[in-house]
Amino acid sequence: MRRPDRLGLVCAVPLIAGLLLPFAGLRPNRIAAPDALHLPDIFGWPAAALVGLVAVAAVLGGRGRAVRAGAALTLWLALMGLGATRLSAEASALARVSPGAGFWLGGLALALLLTDALARWRPTAVMRLGLLAAAVILLGLILTLWGDTSLLKEYANRRTIFWTEARRHMALAGGSFVAAVAVGVPLGILAQRGARLRGPLLGALTAVQTVPSIALFGLLILPLGWVAATLPGAAALGISGIGMAPAFTALFLYALLPMVVNTVAGLDAVPPAVTEAARGMGLTPAGRLARIDLPLALPVILTGARIVLVQNIGLATVGALIGAGGFGSFVFQGLGQTAADLILLGALPTVALAFAAQVVFDALIELMSKGRP
Amino acid sequence: MRRLPLILLAAAILVFLLRPALFVPLLAPLGPPGAPVIYDRASLAALTLSHLALVAAAMVPATLVAVTLGILVQRPAGAAFLPLSRALAGFGQTFPPVAVLALTVPVLGFGMGPTVLALFLYALLPVFENTLTALSTLPPPVIEAARGMGLTPRQRLWRVELPLALPLILEGVRTATVISLSTATIGSVVAARGLGEVIVAGLTSQNTAFIAQGGILVAALAILISGLFTRLAAALRG
């Protein structure tokens, strides 16, 4: 019999707690206090014992843990949906079923086991992209079972708004990302060539990063309102004191520093011998930059771009505070109403989006720098 | 940062906190006419202290826990957790600070608790990652020499490895503190006392003077504290 390893033993603690603590909560309405329900209460003892056995299999060490932990996690997530359907069938239409502490702890333990198994496996870039695609499909299938959970009921009530906010969130994060790359890379090239620009530019951008996001968003309301009022045509372009324009500008300003810093670092790291050889071959400065320096600096520049995209997806949530919309509007509405499901409806897609962006970008960087010295 | 700008910055912050009325002419053009220019529902000095206390309450335990964990996974006893902790440190960075804060509220309720917990969780990563990097990139000859001198693993850790790793660990603490100072302002949305209160009041009453004084104060504190950390690291390097 295979014995659990150290990691399995440590993860067994939250997993056992997850099995023993309430799996789900049943509330008579959206904001009432929940009734705690344990696994056997929902599915009966035999099924609960079976779930326990699957969980034990995930904890055991040895080969194939990635598959065992992945299967156990899938089952665990699916159980939440099935349990919600089962409980809703007997309760009133207003009743809400939400995940309990046991569900979160057990899910965390299984996710840690899966992460560890995947980290040891060291999948290549293409495999990671494949895994991400598989995870997205699997999650989509699991969510079809979740229709009776409180989270998806919040979603069902806001289906249209949800996708509007999703589009706004992506437009905000993606648009400011593209703008920051388009401006940051040339600025970085200029700063790397000109020593006089380098210090003040980096200093100013670092200072911008220390201004808290909610303040920077707010501070831009005034100047952009002024632009909208004085520049003819600006208001017609959708520029105004509140909403998308100040949020876009704030995200752009935050994103500039990593872009400039990484462009400078990437160009600095080009070996002088390579530059000399290019000069010897008779390449013009512009040709050297385009054909030698930039391609060599590309992985570092792309790393900067990855940091910026992930950071922007997260920070775009704050934009909701000044009327820019996005997933943040659910988070702050949820905080205002102390409605945990509404907070989750905003926070979970943001986290998932940032995570997916990180995996995709990382894989692309690895694929692009392959075959280089 | 050199010493003189740091002293001037500290002096400017102190003057602003103790005599905010002196800055009224500077801030007045930003606020709506007739509205108060300086935040008046609480003293700015008290809010600043509370803000710093929030950050300290998160940073001190986060540093202790993260450095301990960073050392543990480098020892033979904790080696089993190295791949997982590296993966978590990488993916943890993708987690937005607002999401951490928002997700702790359902668990802990409103007030200081969720903010401190969110700041604590968010500060773990930079410190842990830097501890890991610092300890795993020490020059092998130094470790060999320490072993050759007959030092026990424990003595090696305390006398050789940690002192050498300290500047990089401090750099992680600096990064985490700057992020915490800024993220703590969002804590005001969940009723934690701090300078975020001034900014949020400015946003809700459309008083840009409030937003500016809160935002610039936090930025000035971040630059000051970051500069102090840099000087401390430089002093340690000798």
Side-chain angles (χ1 to χ4, degrees), chain A residues 142-211:
Chain A
I142 291 171
L143 282 179
T144 58
L145 296 175
W146 272 47
D148 289 310
T149 58
S150 159
L151 180 66
L152 280 219
K153 282 190 176 167
E154 292 284 348
Y155 164 71
N157 289 341
R158 298 177 170 73
R159 199 182 298 265
T160 349
I161 303 177
F162 180 85
W163 290 108
T164 314
E165 298 296 13
R167 272 194 300 276
R168 298 191 74 154
H169 198 103
M170 285 190 232
L172 199 55
S176 54
F177 162 75
V178 172
V181 173
V183 175
V185 173
L187 263 186
I189 295 172
L190 286 179
Q192 201 255 344
R193 307 276 133 130
R196 250 182 303 164
L197 181 65
R198 192 174 185 150
L201 180 69
L202 291 183
L205 290 178
T206 312
V208 167
Q209 290 245 328
T210 61
V211 179

Side-chain angles (χ1 to χ4, degrees), chain A residues 293-369:
Chain A
D293 293 354
L294 275 183
L296 281 176
L298 197 61
V300 185
I301 297 178
L302 282 177
T303 306
R306 188 205 73 205
I307 296 171
V308 163
L309 182 60
V310 170
Q311 175 186 298
N312 273 10
I313 293 173
L315 272 178
T317 18
V318 182
L321 279 180
I322 52 162
F327 288 129
S329 54
F330 299 127
V331 173
F332 291 111
Q333 272 174 42
L335 284 173
Q337 308 171 4
T338 50
D341 301 305
L342 198 51
I343 299 178
L344 286 177
L345 187 64
L348 292 183
T350 315
V351 172
L353 211 55
F355 179 80
Q358 163 108 346
V359 173
V360 170
F361 236 99
D362 254 350
L364 288 182
I365 294 172
E366 198 180 306
L367 288 175
M368 275 188 162
S369 37

Side-chain angles (χ1 to χ4, degrees), chain A residues 10-303:
Chain A
V10 168
C11 286
V13 177
L15 192 56
I16 291 170
L19 288 166
L20 296 180
L21 287 169
F23 185 72
L26 178 65
R27 291 167 299 167
N29 63 49
R30 184 161 167 254
I31 47 175
D35 273 337
L37 292 167
H38 294 77
L39 266 179
D41 299 339
I42 309 171
F43 298 103
W45 279 104
L50 201 65
V51 174
L53 277 181
V54 173
V56 169
V59 168
L60 293 179
R63 292 171 64 85
R65 187 194 255 161
V67 178
R68 277 179 278 134
L73 184 61
T74 311
L75 174 74
W76 191 256
L77 293 174
L79 273 182
M80 187 67 234
L82 295 173
T85 310
R86 202 172 254 250
L87 292 170
S88 302
E90 302 158 9
S92 81
L94 280 177
R96 292 295 188 102
V97 182
S98 49
F103 169 80
W104 293 119
L105 270 179
L108 174 74
L110 292 172
L112 286 178
L113 285 167
L114 180 62
T115 310
D116 175 66
L118 290 178
R120 282 169 200 272
W121 181 36
R122 292 168 198 250
T124 62
V126 178
M127 282 165 159
R128 291 205 300 273
L129 289 176
L131 279 175
L132 179 69
V136 169
I137 294 172
L138 207 56
L139 206 59
L141 289 176
I142 291 171
L143 282 179
T144 58
L145 296 175
W146 272 47
D148 289 310
T149 58
S150 159
L151 180 66
L152 280 219
K153 282 190 176 167
E154 292 284 348
Y155 164 71
N157 289 341
R158 298 177 170 73
R159 199 182 298 265
T160 349
I161 303 177
F162 180 85
W163 290 108
T164 314
E165 298 296 13
R167 272 194 300 276
R168 298 191 74 154
H169 198 103
M170 285 190 232
L172 199 55
S176 54
F177 162 75
V178 172
V181 173
V183 175
V185 173
L187 263 186
I189 295 172
L190 286 179
Q192 201 255 344
R193 307 276 133 130
R196 250 182 303 164
L197 181 65
R198 192 174 185 150
L201 180 69
L202 291 183
L205 290 178
T206 312
V208 167
Q209 290 245 328
T210 61
V211 179
S213 49
I214 54 172
L216 188 58
F217 281 66
L219 283 176
L220 290 165
I221 293 177
L222 208 62
L224 283 168
W226 181 80
V227 169
T230 41
L231 263 187
L237 282 173
I239 294 174
S240 76
I242 55 162
M244 283 291 248
F248 187 95
T249 316
L251 290 180
F252 167 75
L253 287 176
Y254 277 125
L256 267 184
L257 180 72
M259 278 322 301
V260 173
V261 165
N262 278 46
T263 307
V264 169
L267 291 175
D268 274 346
V270 174
V274 175
T275 318
E276 276 311 308
R279 191 174 292 154
M281 283 165 63
L283 282 177
T284 61
R288 261 200 335 264
L289 182 68
R291 290 169 59 185
I292 312 287
D293 293 354
L294 275 183
L296 281 176
L298 197 61
V300 185
I301 297 178
L302 282 177
T303 306

Side-chain angles (χ1 to χ4, degrees), chain A residues 6-7 120 212 335 338 344 358, chain B residues 77 80-81 94 103 110 182 218:
Chain A
R6 268 172 208 270
L7 183 94
R120 282 169 200 272
L335 284 173
T338 50
L344 286 177
Q358 163 108 346
Chain B
F81 300 94
T94 67
L103 293 177
F110 281 75
S182 163
V218 175

Side-chain angles (χ1 to χ4, degrees), chain B residues 148-159:
Chain B
M149 282 165 63
L151 294 182
T152 64
R154 180 182 298 247
Q155 287 171 324
R156 268 206 319 270
L157 177 69
W158 283 105
R159 295 201 201 155

